[in-house]
Amino acid sequence: MNRSSGLCGLILAGSLLGAYPAGAQKVTLDSCRNMALSNNKTIRMADEAIRGAGYERKSAFAAYLPGIDFTGGYMYNQHQIELLGEDAKLPTMSFDPATQTFKYNILTTPDGTPIKDPATGGMIPTEVALIPKEAMSFDVHNVFAGAFTLTQPIFMGGMIKAMNDITKYAENIAVATKSAAVQDVIYGVDQAYWTVVSLDEKKRLANSFVNLVDSLRFSVNALLDQGMATKADLLTVDVKLNEAKIMRTKVDNGLTLSRMALAQICGLPVNSNMMLADEGERSISTTVAAPQVYTMEDVYARRSDLEIVRQSINMLGSREKLAMGAMLPKIAAVGTYSFSNPNVIHGFEKRFGGGFSVGATITIPIWHWGQNYNHYRSTKATTNAQRLLLEDLQEKVDLQVNQAKFSYDEALKTYEMTVSNMKSAEENLRSAQLAYREGLMTTDDVIAAQTAWLAANSEKIDAQIAIRLCDVYLSKVLGTLAPATVKE
């Protein structure tokens, strides 16, 4: 999900707020889901994580390709280089035709015996070649140097491929993390949505109950005037009427807060006047999709939390290969063009000069006191631990799916019983009211019948909402929960 999708969500919210007059806005469940997905910051962060993982994958792939680097430098030297401390005098040689060899020009006696220098004990040359000290002095006060280097990996012990696999699995983890976040947001929206619908229905029920008790108070008051009821009967009804009004106030406040919570989840201002499509219905719809046919293998494959662990196992397997690669030889081809000023190609010339060189490098790990091998064994142990975690999570998912299925079936049966109970409560209330008018029942009997009617209706509303929530929870644990329209 990118920035444009967030803007789409705000435009959708604006159109919803502007399409209906105050108090008449109708927002569907799918609209709430899409607004929440567009504005949820956790999902936005997941999008950024996916984007970052994609860049990491591209970065890892670049390791296959040759790298080109430039290195440059400047150095100032205090002294120049003087290879000679003084003028050098080198002895010379002459060719002797008689012996066909070169002989040193040295001082000899008339009989040809060399005369040695008394001070040094060396031969005394008769001719020398002079090398002035200045000829072997070089100005290196200012030295500039640089090099372009091209490095092409040939064999890195499988480390480059392992890094590419790791970044690919990391990207898959980021995608699965977003999927899990999407399902959590959808489930939260559904809970908030149906809570609002439930409280709206209970508000209508509370109003009906207040009117019902108020009608009883009117009847008791009329009977009191006729001497057929007591003051205690009227006080009992007044207490019940006050309780009913307090209950209505609590339901009304709860409905207001629930609307605010839903608006906040959808990314709208909390004071948004949101009217839900399922509000105001005569009865909350209990029609849901047919029970899903599934196998646990399919559930395992769809569950985002299990996918995260599976990809983590793959990533740790690549880390094993990475650790193994640290113990293998590494070969690379290297090409360099280096230059300097002064350059030494033709003496120490005071100008830039350089040349190419091509070669190969090989690094062979020999002995590191078990460092790399122990690291490899550590990664294997971590991978094994992650596999055990996956097995444990799959067992818990089995239990979770069965619990969700039982809860769904229980909600359906509970609803059927509440419908029957409500019919009985309505008949009981009708009979109590009729008997009270005939003088066969007391005020307490009528209030008890009214309270039972209220409880039966409230239980029916709770059962209707429970079916919806159990259905969406079952979809969540089966890994099939998704909005009707996912904005990417």
Side-chain angles (χ1 to χ4, degrees):
M1 189 172 305
N2 50 33
R3 187 175 299 174
S4 61
S5 65
L7 180 60
C8 290
L10 295 177
I11 294 174
L12 173 61
S15 64
L16 289 172
L17 291 174
Y20 300 93
Q25 180 186 352
K26 294 291 183 179
V27 182
T28 65
L29 177 60
D30 285 334
S31 297
C32 291
R33 286 178 170 184
N34 286 325
M35 282 190 291
L37 293 176
S38 297
N39 298 317
N40 185 268
K41 291 182 175 58
T42 300
I43 295 179
R44 290 185 181 181
M45 289 188 290
D47 286 328
E48 292 299 325
I50 293 174
R51 188 175 294 110
Y55 293 143
E56 286 293 335
R57 179 173 51 80
K58 294 178 181 179
S59 174
F61 179 78
Y64 284 116
L65 306 176
I68 301 176
D69 300 288
F70 170 75
T71 303
Y74 164 79
M75 180 177 291
Y76 172 79
N77 297 298
Q78 179 181 2
H79 302 287
Q80 66 178 5
I81 295 178
E82 296 180 351
L83 299 182
L84 298 177
E86 59 184 12
D87 293 343
K89 300 180 180 64
L90 304 180
T92 62
M93 301 180 71
S94 299
F95 183 73
D96 185 354
T99 61
Q100 297 293 307
T101 60
F102 285 93
K103 293 184 178 180
Y104 281 102
N105 298 316
I106 58 176
L107 183 64
T108 60
T109 60
D111 60 1
T113 302
I115 300 175
K116 297 184 177 180
D117 187 347
T120 63
M123 303 300 176
I124 301 175
T126 57
E127 295 181 0
V128 295
L130 177 64
I131 301 178
K133 173 183 176 182
E134 291 76 11
M136 300 299 292
S137 299
F138 307 100
D139 182 7
V140 291
H141 289 300
N142 298 285
V143 178
F144 301 88
F148 290 95
T149 303
L150 183 145
T151 304
Q152 173 60 62
I154 298 176
F155 177 73
M156 293 288 113
M159 298 179 70
I160 295 179
K161 185 180 185 305
M163 281 302 303
N164 275 267
D165 291 340
I166 287 174
T167 55
K168 180 184 68 176
Y169 297 137
E171 188 174 17
N172 293 340
I173 289 175
V175 173
T177 301
K178 178 188 174 182
S179 178
V182 167
Q183 294 198 12
D184 289 339
V185 170
I186 293 173
Y187 183 64
V189 169
D190 282 32
Q191 283 186 311
Y193 182 93
W194 291 113
T195 298
V196 172
V197 174
S198 172
L199 291 174
D200 178 71
E201 190 70 16
K202 287 188 176 182
K203 178 181 178 181
R204 299 175 196 279
L205 179 61
N207 289 331
S208 298
F209 186 65
V210 169
N211 294 334
L212 189 63
V213 178
D214 192 52
S215 297
L216 177 61
R217 184 183 184 283
F218 179 80
S219 299
V220 172
N221 195 46
L223 293 174
L224 180 63
D225 293 339
Q226 297 174 8
M228 297 175 64
T230 66
K231 188 69 174 178
D233 291 334
L234 182 61
L235 291 176
T236 300
V237 175
D238 284 341
V239 170
K240 196 63 180 180
L241 181 60
N242 289 334
E243 290 178 355
K245 290 180 179 179
I246 291 173
M247 181 189 68
R248 181 175 63 181
T249 300
K250 290 181 178 180
V251 171
D252 189 57
N253 290 339
L255 178 59
T256 301
L257 292 175
S258 297
R259 290 189 193 279
M260 290 181 177
L262 178 60
Q264 189 273 330
I265 293 175
C266 293
L268 301 176
V270 293
N271 58 350
S272 299
N273 187 20
M274 295 178 63
M275 296 298 294
L276 308 184
D278 289 280
E279 287 187 72
E281 301 292 333
R282 297 293 298 174
S283 178
I284 301 172
S285 173
T286 57
T287 302
V288 294
Q292 303 181 41
V293 179
Y294 61 88
T295 63
M296 289 311 301
E297 287 72 19
D298 292 336
V299 174
Y300 296 154
R302 289 193 297 259
R303 286 287 294 256
S304 299
D305 51 348
L306 297 184
E307 178 65 15
I308 291 173
V309 179
R310 284 192 293 269
Q311 295 298 328
S312 297
I313 292 174
N314 293 336
M315 179 185 292
L316 290 171
S318 295
R319 283 187 58 194
E320 291 181 23
K321 296 177 181 178
L322 193 65
M324 176 62 73
M327 296 185 285
L328 299 177
K330 299 167 186 62
I331 303 173
V334 180
T336 302
Y337 177 81
S338 57
F339 57 90
S340 65
N341 181 4
N343 70 84
V344 294
I345 298 175
H346 301 291
F348 277 79
E349 292 183 306
K350 295 290 291 182
R351 63 185 182 87
F352 282 101
F356 291 97
S357 58
V358 179
T361 63
I362 180 171
T363 302
I364 303 176
I366 296 177
W367 184 253
H368 294 275
W369 303 101
Q371 176 186 5
N372 294 332
Y373 182 60
N374 287 325
H375 177 61
Y376 171 70
R377 291 196 295 182
S378 172
T379 58
K380 287 186 68 70
T382 304
T383 305
N384 293 334
Q386 198 74 358
R387 290 195 179 98
L388 293 174
L389 174 62
L390 179 60
E391 294 177 4
D392 182 61
L393 289 178
Q394 287 177 341
E395 293 174 359
K396 292 179 179 178
V397 167
D398 287 343
L399 178 61
Q400 190 180 46
V401 169
N402 286 313
Q403 289 175 335
K405 185 65 171 62
F406 290 150
S407 297
Y408 176 78
D409 294 337
E410 181 181 340
L412 290 176
K413 294 177 181 178
T414 301
Y415 173 70
E416 294 174 357
M417 289 186 290
T418 58
V419 171
S420 177
N421 291 342
M422 192 186 72
K423 292 179 180 179
S424 299
E426 289 177 345
E427 180 61 24
N428 181 53
L429 177 60
R430 188 189 66 80
S431 300
Q433 290 173 334
L434 181 61
Y436 181 75
R437 286 195 294 270
E438 297 295 332
L440 300 177
M441 282 192 176
T442 65
T443 304
D444 290 337
D445 295 329
V446 177
I447 291 177
Q450 291 176 339
T451 303
W453 175 86
L454 174 65
N457 277 274
S458 180
E459 288 173 357
K460 179 188 175 185
I461 294 172
D462 291 339
Q464 290 170 320
I465 298 301
I467 292 176
R468 288 289 183 177
L469 294 181
C470 287
D471 178 63
V472 72
Y473 180 69
L474 180 60
S475 297
K476 184 175 185 292
V477 299
L478 292 178
T480 59
L481 182 61
T485 304
V486 179
K487 297 180 181 294
E488 294 291 348

